[in-house]
């Protein structure tokens, strides 16, 4: 199947490593023209160079903290300027810290709101004019399986992910008449730096070893292993692509059967 991503102009935020990077790699390998973003300019520039070398695609780097209103708008404007427009947007960033409910004051909740919910709003709002111009513009939000099944000790993340998928479904309904599509992926446990950090925290809390927590988490999925970032990236690329032209409002779990509910 041809995903028809050749020469599509796409911004992927939170993309110097992990799920965002893997998504950008799949898109670039499919011939898309890509802008990647992250906070740290050095590692971002290295990531862009690696993507160019691996795929031969046009890849630009725009540093910025998408949890900050000004930066989110600036990153979108820079992407549109580099690419001459925008056909697709992948909204992604880091995740809020782990911890029990009583560990978090209002400042922590507001920070999580900016980082895991409001950044989707800000990026999409800034990108809408260009996505409209593109005719057939498409957005995929990277959220979490915790929107369906909360994860212990991740109350900040669990709460914001539920709001994020409600946003995506609402936008699909509100803006579908303009030919715009909005979908979300809900990753389960996928092998990235964030997962190593979360399981190190869990091991510390329980007095176990991080390797044992990694193995236990892998066994908890139907497939008996964690996901690889590119497995998530392929799902994002498909939903974003014209090949998924009749898919909108989809909240797609990508989690190897670790979610045990019916729907
Ligand atoms: N991996 C999983 O199993 C999993 C499962 C469910 C949900 N998720 C969620 O999916 C998202 C990506 O996860 P990941 O595992 O790929 O995380 P990761 O390994 O920590 O990578 C996060 C990426 O986003 C960038 N980033 C972080 N904060 C940012 C900000 N404020 N503005 C711009 N860029 C930012 C980081 O670079 P800089 O540090 O340079 O900014 C890095 O490139 C997170 O929200 C995570 O909670 C992950």
């Amino acid at each position: 199947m041809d995903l028809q991503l050749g020469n599509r102009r796409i911004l992927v935020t939170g993309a110097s490593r992990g799920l965002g990077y893997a998504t950008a790699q799949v898109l670039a390998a499919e011939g898309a023209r890509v802008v990647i973003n992250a906070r740290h300019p050095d590692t971002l520039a290295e990531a862009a160079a690696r993507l160019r070398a691996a795929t031969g695609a046009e890849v630009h780097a725009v540093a910025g903290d998408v949890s900050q209103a000004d930066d989110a708008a600036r990153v979108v404007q820079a992407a549109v300027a580099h690419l001459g427009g925008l056909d697709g947007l992948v909204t992604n960033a880091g995740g809020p810290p782990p911890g029990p409910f009583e560990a978090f004051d209002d400042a922590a909740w507001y920070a999580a709101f900016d980082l895991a919910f409001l950044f989707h709003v800000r990026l999409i709002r800034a990108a809408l004019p260009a996505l409209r111009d593109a005719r057939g513009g498409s957005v995929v939000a990277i959220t979490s399986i915790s929107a369906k099944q909360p994860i212990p000790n991740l109350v900040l993340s669990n709460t914001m992910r539920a709001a994020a998928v409600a946003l995506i479904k609402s936008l699909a309904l509100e803006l579908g008449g303009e030919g715009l599509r909005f979908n979300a992926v809900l990753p389960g446990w996928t092998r990235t730096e964030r997962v190593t950090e979360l399981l190190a925290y869990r091991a510390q809390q329980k007095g176990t070893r991080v390797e044992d927590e990694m193995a236990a988490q892998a066994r908890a999925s139907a497939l008996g292993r964690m996901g690889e970032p590119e497995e998530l990236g392929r799902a994002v690329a498909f939903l974003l692509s014209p090949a998924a032209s009749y898919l909108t409002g989809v909240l797609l779990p990508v989690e190897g059967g670790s979610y045990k509910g019916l729907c």
Side-chain angles (χ1 to χ4, degrees):
M1 176 174 57
D2 179 5
L3 296 182
Q4 301 164 53
L5 281 166
N7 291 320
R8 296 273 160 174
R9 302 158 297 181
I10 298 169
L11 167 62
V12 186
T13 63
S16 64
R17 61 175 188 272
L19 305 183
Y21 179 85
T23 296
Q25 184 157 26
V26 174
L27 293 168
E30 290 291 325
R33 301 169 59 212
V34 180
V35 170
I36 60 170
N37 150 266
R39 288 167 304 177
H40 298 96
D42 293 351
T43 46
L44 181 67
E46 286 163 21
R50 274 202 312 282
L51 288 174
R52 282 191 288 269
T55 65
E58 177 184 338
V59 180
H60 305 272
V62 178
D65 180 346
V66 294
S67 73
Q68 304 297 312
D70 290 353
D71 270 20
R74 181 182 56 75
V75 167
V76 171
Q77 283 161 11
V80 170
H82 277 303
L83 300 173
L86 202 64
D87 300 293
L89 169 67
V90 179
T91 55
N92 179 57
F101 172 70
E102 289 180 290
F104 300 118
D105 59 10
D106 281 5
W109 278 96
Y110 281 120
F113 180 66
D114 280 332
L115 177 65
F117 175 71
L118 203 53
F119 89 105
H120 294 295
V121 174
R122 288 166 171 156
L123 289 169
I124 292 168
R125 191 167 49 208
L128 265 183
L131 293 171
R132 282 196 175 101
D133 285 350
R135 308 198 175 280
S138 169
V139 175
V140 176
I142 297 183
T143 65
S144 172
I145 195 61
S146 71
K148 290 168 80 74
Q149 178 172 278
I151 299 170
N153 263 314
L154 277 175
V155 65
L156 294 177
S157 177
N158 297 340
T159 306
M160 300 308 158
R161 307 310 181 170
V165 299
L167 169 75
I168 292 302
K169 192 76 181 180
S170 301
L171 291 177
L173 299 175
E174 185 175 324
L175 296 172
E178 297 186 44
L180 295 165
R181 295 186 301 109
F182 295 85
N183 295 293
V185 288
L186 283 57
W189 292 86
T190 312
R191 207 177 285 283
T192 67
E193 280 184 33
R194 165 137 173 108
V195 156
T196 307
E197 287 162 15
L198 290 176
L199 292 178
Y201 173 83
R202 186 184 289 178
Q204 187 205 349
Q205 295 294 304
K206 292 167 65 180
T208 56
R209 297 184 318 154
V210 65
E211 309 86 272
D212 296 335
E213 295 301 332
M214 298 281 262
Q217 197 59 64
R219 281 195 304 274
S221 77
L223 295 178
R225 64 175 176 83
M226 288 198 195
E228 297 299 330
E230 54 271 29
E231 294 179 301
L232 188 281
R234 288 199 293 269
V236 176
F238 171 65
L239 282 176
L240 195 70
S241 76
S245 52
Y246 203 50
L247 295 182
T248 195
V250 170
L251 312 176
L252 180 68
V254 184
E255 35 67 67
S258 57
Y259 172 66
K260 303 300 190 293
L262 285 179
C263 53

